[in-house]
Each structure stands twice: as structure tokens, then as C-alpha cells.
Amino acid sequence: MHDAPADAHVPDNKDVWLVIPVYNEAQVIADVVEHARQTFPNIVCVDDGSRDGSAAAIAPTGAHLVQHPINMGQGAALETGLRYALNRPGAEYFVTFDADGQHRVEDALRMLEVARSGQADVVLGSRFLESRETVPWLKRFVLKTVVALSPTARKLKLTDAHNGLRVLNRPAAEGLRIRMNGMAHASEIVGKLARSNWRVAEIPVTILYTDYSRAKGQSLVNGVNILFELSLRHRGV
Amino acid sequence: MVIQFLLLLAVAASLFYFVRQQHGVRLQAGKRLAFVAFLLFAAYAVVRPDDITAIAHWVGVGRGADLVLYATVVAFVFVVINFYLRTREMERRITDLARAVALRDAEILNQHRLPHPPAAGEGADTALLAAVVAEGKS
């Protein structure tokens, strides 16, 4: 992971907040934060009740730290991080970023450029727009299936409903209220976008499937849980 | 047969209850009345099993015990749905509570931790207060 010099033509990104939900990522979180902070000065890590000392790993870094008193799920952590960032003075753009180091800062910067240009209120990362990198085939199949089963993702013509890398401008971040605490929040976000008036753009990104993220990442079994959570949500309750 | 009609009615009622958004006072009272009725029915079935068998024959079920079993299954489904809805509501409240606590603590923690506090400058306390109050309202 080597950045191009990020400060060449880009603004200093003081109006950007990186929101990183953290759950049991003590091994890597400090490196991920320090690396991202070379480009983005404002980072908030939401420790979602980790039991491996993730909070202690974040403490010496320059990131803001919000600690859930209990584990509530990635969706809840994202929502908390967004609320925290929205309260910071001068915050205009919000980037959701994964804690396990599978997202690239360069991709976030390119997505940010699109958001800054005013072409879109929400910019989503997609693994599938260009098939230049190697998504494991089984994962590719499952993620494609989730997209195919999601009417909202089809409506927005999205290719990747479950990418954790997103850029939102302030109105979109304020309007978005994530209510699915678990992993179904990704589909929930896409659904809200489809029902909103925000302009949504999708940008190809590269996911770094390291051994660490592969071991940690959403297991395929989780796909079953996501479908279950979502199907119950549609029962109107 | 009458029993089929009754059971289908019960399924439809559970579905309606599940999909319904708001649970008002009237529904609450209805649930309690249904609970009392179920208890009375059970007590009656214990005291006068022959009567229950007669009712069972009338609605098209072989034995009184089977009728009690059917009624129990219907009651069970209602109870499960009820618990599910209640658990979800409770989870939502806990989430709001935990989030409010986390955000409040974070405001204080990060102001001490970071060299450039989040709401630095003259109005730091005012900004902190405003943020906490705003979060409380939302």
C-alpha cells in the first residue's frame, strides 16, 4: 500500500471525516488509522464493544474514539460514527471505511473528488465495475446474488450492494438513519438511497484481500443472516 | 369443516397483527382479554373434558385433547410474535441509549486525549453542550 503524494492538488481534507467501525481489530487498527491519517486528518473510530483491546490500540493514535458500552453490530457503529462526525464543526464529507485495511485511501480520494465536484451526493465503491482485481469467486457469486435479489440495488443499477467504502455529503449523512444494527445495514442504506432524491454514483475500487481480512471478513454464512434480517424488516415492523 | 376455518382465521389474525405498525391501547386490552379467555378455556377443559370433546366434534375435530392442542399452538404463535416484536423494540431502545452514552463520553474523552480538541477555541464548552443537547433530542 503506497499512496501517491496525496497533498499535491487535493485540498487538505479538513472537511472530511473518516468513520471506521471497529470490532476486535486490535492487530491492525493502529496501522490502518495511521496510514489513513496521512491523508485524512479527521478520523473517528467507533469501538463496538471489542474484547481484544481495540480501544487501547486506537488510544495512542490521532483518531477520535467513541466506545459503545456493549456490542451492537456494525450498522449501529456506523450510525454512531456518523452522528459523532456530524457534530464536529466544519465536517462536510463523510467516508465510511473498514477497519481491517481492505480499503485503499486512494480509492476514497477518487470517490471524494466525485462528491466534491457536485455530481453526486453519495458515492459508493464497487468491486465489480472493472474486473481488474481478484475477488474470490465464491464471494463474487454470493455478492452478485445479494445484488440480484435486492430490488433497490437493481433500481439504482448498482453492481455491488455490500461495499463498505462510501462517501456521503452532509445532507445525505444527516438524512441517513441506519436502523439495522447488524450486517443488513448495507442493504438498508442502498434501499434508503433508492427511495431518496440523492444522486448516487458508483466508482470502481480495489479491495485488498489480505490473509487477515479474508480470515476476518464477512463470512459467507453471514449472507444467510443478512437475508433473514432483511426479509423480516420488510414485514413492516 | 369449522376447525379449518377457525385455524385459517387465526393465521390471518397473526399475520395482520405482525404487519400492523402501531400497537395501541385497544390492541393491548384485546391481547389481555384473549389471554384471560385462553386461561378460562383451559380451566374449563380440565374440569369438563366431555364438554370439550363435544365442542371438538361440533367443529370437526376428533378429540377434545386435539382441540386443546390446536388452541395451544395458535396461542403459542401469538406469544412468539409478541415476544419478537417486543425484543426488537427493546433492542432499538438499548441502541439509542448506548449510542447516547457513547457519544457523550466520547465528547469528554476526546477533548482530553487529542492535541486539537474537537470543538476547540472560545466556544468549546458551548459547542460541546450544543452537541450533547442535539444528540439528546434526536
Side-chain angles (χ1 to χ4, degrees):
Chain A
M1 300 201 291
H2 292 291
D3 283 29
D7 43 6
H9 60 287
V10 195
D12 59 4
N13 290 320
K14 283 221 170 80
D15 55 348
V16 179
W17 276 81
L18 236 65
V19 176
I20 308 184
V22 182
Y23 182 59
N24 291 345
E25 305 276 7
Q27 279 182 52
V28 292
I29 184 62
D31 290 342
V32 171
V33 166
E34 288 305 347
H35 180 70
R37 254 177 61 82
Q38 293 167 10
T39 314
F40 299 105
N42 299 317
I43 298 182
V44 53
C45 289
V46 183
D47 173 34
D48 189 25
S50 302
R51 281 160 300 161
D52 69 340
S54 291
I58 297 164
T61 68
H64 290 227
L65 172 62
V66 184
Q67 282 180 280
H68 279 175
I70 47 175
N71 174 251
M72 297 194 289
Q74 195 180 31
L78 271 178
E79 174 69 15
T80 302
L82 283 174
R83 293 301 125 205
Y84 183 86
L86 280 164
N87 277 339
R88 307 273 72 76
E92 289 301 328
Y93 295 96
F94 304 87
V95 181
T96 68
F97 203 81
D98 277 5
D100 58 7
Q102 65 171 337
H103 290 156
R104 299 194 316 164
V105 173
E106 302 94 297
D107 288 333
L109 277 174
R110 279 189 302 119
M111 290 163 68
L112 203 56
E113 267 172 39
V114 177
R116 282 191 197 281
S117 72
Q119 292 166 30
D121 303 302
V122 179
V123 186
L124 305 174
S126 170
R127 282 159 274 198
F128 303 120
L129 275 181
E130 292 168 22
S131 53
R132 62 182 174 190
E133 25 64 35
T134 53
V135 181
W137 70 269
L138 188 57
K139 187 141 196 159
R140 172 177 286 259
F141 173 75
V142 168
L143 288 166
K144 289 274 188 195
T145 310
V146 170
V147 171
L149 288 176
S150 157
T152 47
R154 283 203 306 271
K155 183 185 160 199
L156 287 174
K157 297 193 171 57
L158 296 183
T159 54
D160 185 1
H162 273 261
N163 200 303
L165 190 55
R166 311 174 187 87
V167 176
L168 304 117
N169 66 8
R170 192 169 184 96
E174 273 171 356
L176 189 73
R177 289 262 158 172
I178 304 171
R179 295 194 53 199
M180 306 297 287
N181 280 357
M183 292 309 300
H185 67 274
S187 309
E188 184 198 8
I189 291 172
V190 173
K192 285 208 170 145
L193 295 180
R195 272 175 272 124
S196 72
N197 297 319
W198 299 317
R199 291 156 304 155
V200 179
E202 215 179 26
I203 299 283
V205 298
T206 303
I207 302 294
L208 305 167
Y209 284 104
T210 59
D211 286 344
Y212 178 80
S213 74
R214 225 185 289 260
K216 288 247 1 168
Q218 272 185 50
S219 75
L220 297 171
V221 180
N222 230 334
V224 176
N225 293 333
I226 291 169
L227 284 178
F228 187 77
E229 283 178 48
L230 281 174
S231 63
L232 284 177
R233 181 185 59 137
H234 291 311
R235 300 292 89 81
V237 189
Chain B
M1 279 199 287
V2 185
I3 186 65
Q4 288 169 329
F5 172 72
L6 288 177
L7 288 177
L8 285 177
L9 196 72
V11 170
S14 339
L15 261 182
F16 175 72
Y17 172 57
F18 189 47
V19 172
R20 218 177 122 106
Q21 293 273 0
Q22 285 168 341
H23 299 155
V25 189
R26 190 169 293 193
L27 194 67
Q28 185 79 358
K31 275 192 287 189
R32 284 167 183 172
L33 284 179
F35 179 66
V36 172
F38 182 76
L39 283 187
L40 289 177
F41 170 74
Y44 188 76
V46 171
V47 179
R48 304 281 304 266
D50 292 345
D51 288 7
I52 298 299
T53 306
I55 298 174
H57 282 307
W58 181 69
V59 296
V61 179
R63 296 183 311 160
D66 289 344
L67 184 66
V68 174
L69 176 68
Y70 290 161
T72 309
V73 168
V74 168
F76 177 72
V77 168
F78 263 105
V79 167
V80 166
I81 293 176
N82 209 25
F83 265 106
Y84 175 73
L85 294 180
R86 200 178 283 194
T87 311
R88 272 182 69 130
E89 175 63 19
M90 206 183 297
E91 194 176 301
R92 202 183 59 74
R93 289 185 195 190
I94 289 175
T95 301
D96 290 348
L97 174 67
R99 177 168 298 134
V101 170
L103 287 172
R104 193 196 55 186
D105 289 355
E107 296 287 352
I108 299 160
L109 170 75
N110 290 327
Q111 257 187 1
H112 288 293
R113 251 188 72 227
L114 299 171
H116 304 292
E122 293 287 319
D125 290 341
T126 331
L128 169 64
L129 196 63
V132 170
V133 170
E135 196 50 45
K137 276 184 207 153
S138 63

